[in-house]
Amino acid sequence: MTAVEFDTRAIRPGGLFVALPGERVDGHDFAAAAVAAGAGCVLAGREVDAPAVVVPPVPGRRTDTYLAATDPDGHGAAVLAALARLAGHAVAELPRCTVVGITGSSGKTSTKDLLAAVLAPLGETVAPPGSFNNELGLPWTALRAGESTRHLVLEFSARGAGHIAALAAAVPPRIGVVLNVGSAHLGEFGSTAAIAEAKGELVEALDDDGVAVLNADDPAVAAMGIRTRARVVLTGRHPNAHVRAEDVAVDAGRARFTLVAPGGSAPVALRLVGEHHVGNALAAAAVALELGATPDAVAHALSLAEPASRWRMELTERPDGVTVVNDAYNANPESMRAALSALASIGAGRRTWAVLGRIGELGAGSDAAHVQVAQDALAHGVDELVAVGAPEYGAPRDAPDVDAALELLRAELRPGDVVLVKASRAAGLERLAAGLLEGAR
Ligand SMILES: Nc1ncnc2c1ncn2[C@@H]1O[C@H](COP(=O)(O)OP(=O)(O)O)[C@@H](O)[C@H]1O
Ligand SMILES: [Mg+2]
């Protein structure tokens, strides 16, 4: 409805330009340019040379936003807080729009994409592009919802305690999904108990007319049932789950299962790669069933859903018969294990390569976690383990950087090989995956 943008190139006539101090530039310096480009007004944290609503930093207000490093005076935090309130007011004006929040250590974006696909036939659905899930991306997405929107799907991320609570207070979800509690950002949180505490803030924010969709297969998530006033719907393979996967089978990395729900059962065959998507699909199914879909319709939509966000288990067959699995978007130990298991399934009877870069933000246990991943790779029967600039794996081979890894792989890959490329985003392995596919499409 409202055109709210933080990038002058995206401004539309009459839109609101949100000025934020970023890593490379400070949006406040572009206020006049934004107005020249058609913005009607600027939301700013300090005076700018354009018509603006200037919000002052409030003492004591949370300043540990994703901007922290570039926001010493809290101007950005003030702007983000104002943006969140604006989004909250705008969404509150849309009584026919159901807000669904998704959190978890892994799978938020995949689940968001699955859910958007499953909800689309039920009515207009607004979901973030990519992984817009922080103090900027979440309200920005929420401000995309309008009169005709029936579902607003939001991804809630957290780098610390209180982050999800603040976002959920601004734009309260009616349905909250918690996928899993893993070790993503363990370094910042300190312990997995602290991560569970933070993820659970989403279901604490639900009202008693809300629904908490909780993963019955993850004890730390199932335990969140007592932290919410909302009705709890359990998902998973666990026999107690209300929305369940039975007879799960994995073929060439893709899972098939029977979706079993109180309203009936239906077969699902996922196109997404990786058995871990079973849990994501069940969460999406549970939400859609709450919102009036039938099990048949849900199973059908899940089975048609293609990967929507890039670099997540993106599978490409090269003309020479080499299969490249690009999962370079990010990594934590759980998603590494999920990817290695998928590699083993895709590569059954073929030579498999795990080309892995560093997993960031693991804190004190980082080295041990890398060694554990290397052991998991071997346990999954991976034939060739190549670390890229990551000696902490203790891998048989360690290419110092992406170029060296490319050279090694170009020399050694043979028709029929399957190569998984995965690391935390900072490792930049998407360039390696692109290099492997050069001229192959
Ligand atoms: N339920 C899950 N359990 C483990 N790993 C997962 C799960 N869902 C997705 N992944 C993997 O985690 C990585 C990130 O997936 P994504 O959907 O972008 O999650 P998020 O948005 O939470 O970061 C990908 O490598 C993906 O294959
Ligand atoms: Mg994400």
Side-chain angles (χ1 to χ4, degrees):
M1 80 186 110
T2 17
V4 177
E5 299 295 349
F6 49 89
D7 182 333
T8 51
R9 290 163 298 187
I11 281 290
R12 279 174 289 160
L16 176 71
F17 176 67
V18 181
L20 290 165
E23 256 173 48
R24 283 178 216 98
V25 293
D26 185 343
H28 291 91
D29 299 334
F30 291 82
V35 170
C41 182
V42 177
L43 179 63
R46 58 175 168 77
E47 292 298 326
V48 289
D49 52 359
V53 175
V54 180
V55 287
V58 175
R61 177 181 281 162
R62 259 192 58 227
T63 54
D64 62 332
T65 67
Y66 80 99
L67 287 170
T70 56
D71 186 33
D73 305 319
H75 292 316
V79 170
L80 291 171
L83 185 66
R85 293 191 63 178
L86 187 61
H89 281 292
V91 172
E93 297 287 304
L94 306 174
R96 300 180 64 193
C97 177
T98 300
V99 181
V100 182
I102 302 172
T103 194
S105 294
S106 309
K108 297 179 291 298
T109 296
S110 305
T111 304
K112 174 266 294 181
D113 289 333
L114 282 171
L115 184 54
V118 176
L119 291 181
L122 294 178
E124 186 185 299
T125 301
V126 170
S131 212
F132 272 33
N133 59 18
N134 61 14
E135 300 93 342
L136 174 59
L138 188 142
W140 181 90
T141 303
L143 285 161
R144 257 93 203 118
E147 293 290 335
S148 52
T149 307
R150 291 295 163 268
H151 321 109
L152 171 61
V153 179
L154 298 173
E155 185 176 327
F156 285 73
S157 78
R159 299 165 315 283
H163 295 180
I164 290 176
L167 289 171
V171 188
R174 191 171 75 76
I175 303 181
V177 177
V178 187
L179 296 169
N180 45 53
V181 171
S183 39
H185 304 285
L186 184 56
E188 285 148 311
F189 280 100
S191 69
T192 44
I195 296 176
E197 192 58 34
K199 303 288 178 210
E201 290 170 10
L202 183 67
V203 295
E204 282 177 348
L206 299 171
D207 250 325
D208 49 14
D209 66 347
V211 181
V213 175
L214 298 176
N215 181 358
D217 297 336
D218 185 330
V221 176
M224 290 174 192
I226 54 168
R227 291 172 62 188
T228 185
R229 288 170 293 167
R231 180 161 50 84
V232 171
V233 173
L234 292 173
T235 61
R237 304 188 198 192
H238 196 284
N240 287 350
H242 305 106
V243 177
R244 218 165 42 248
E246 289 184 2
D247 307 322
V248 179
V250 185
D251 187 16
R254 294 182 168 91
R256 277 176 288 117
F257 60 93
T258 305
L259 171 68
V260 180
S265 308
V268 175
L270 294 177
R271 296 187 182 183
L272 304 184
V273 174
E275 190 175 350
H276 54 277
H277 285 303
V278 173
N280 301 338
L282 289 172
V287 174
L289 293 169
E290 278 300 323
L291 293 174
T294 64
D296 273 337
V298 169
H300 186 68
L302 287 175
S303 302
L304 289 180
E306 300 276 0
S309 297
R310 305 261 357 239
W311 305 340
R312 291 166 180 83
M313 299 301 282
E314 206 175 288
L315 197 144
T316 311
E317 306 284 353
R318 295 201 323 198
D320 66 352
V322 169
T323 302
V324 176
V325 185
N326 178 359
D327 200 27
Y329 187 77
N330 67 12
N332 58 56
E334 293 75 31
S335 72
M336 271 293 183
R337 265 188 281 287
L340 290 166
S341 149
L343 173 65
S345 168
I346 299 163
R350 302 164 66 179
R351 184 164 72 150
T352 52
W353 295 73
V355 184
L356 309 180
R358 269 197 86 235
I359 309 174
E361 300 173 349
L362 286 178
S366 176
D367 282 3
H370 282 85
V371 171
Q372 183 63 53
V373 167
Q375 288 170 344
D376 290 342
L378 298 178
H380 275 106
V382 166
D383 297 303
E384 300 286 343
L385 176 60
V386 181
V388 184
E392 48 275 72
Y393 282 111
R397 299 161 112 181
D398 188 17
D401 55 28
V402 166
D403 290 315
L406 255 180
E407 194 174 326
L408 183 158
L409 290 165
R410 283 190 177 133
E412 297 201 26
L413 285 180
R414 294 196 303 259
D417 286 1
V418 186
V419 192
L420 167 72
V421 179
K422 185 168 174 70
S424 279
R425 195 56 199 290
L429 289 204
E430 66 275 5
R431 200 163 70 74
L432 176 56
L436 290 175
L437 293 174
E438 233 159 67
R441 279 185 220 250

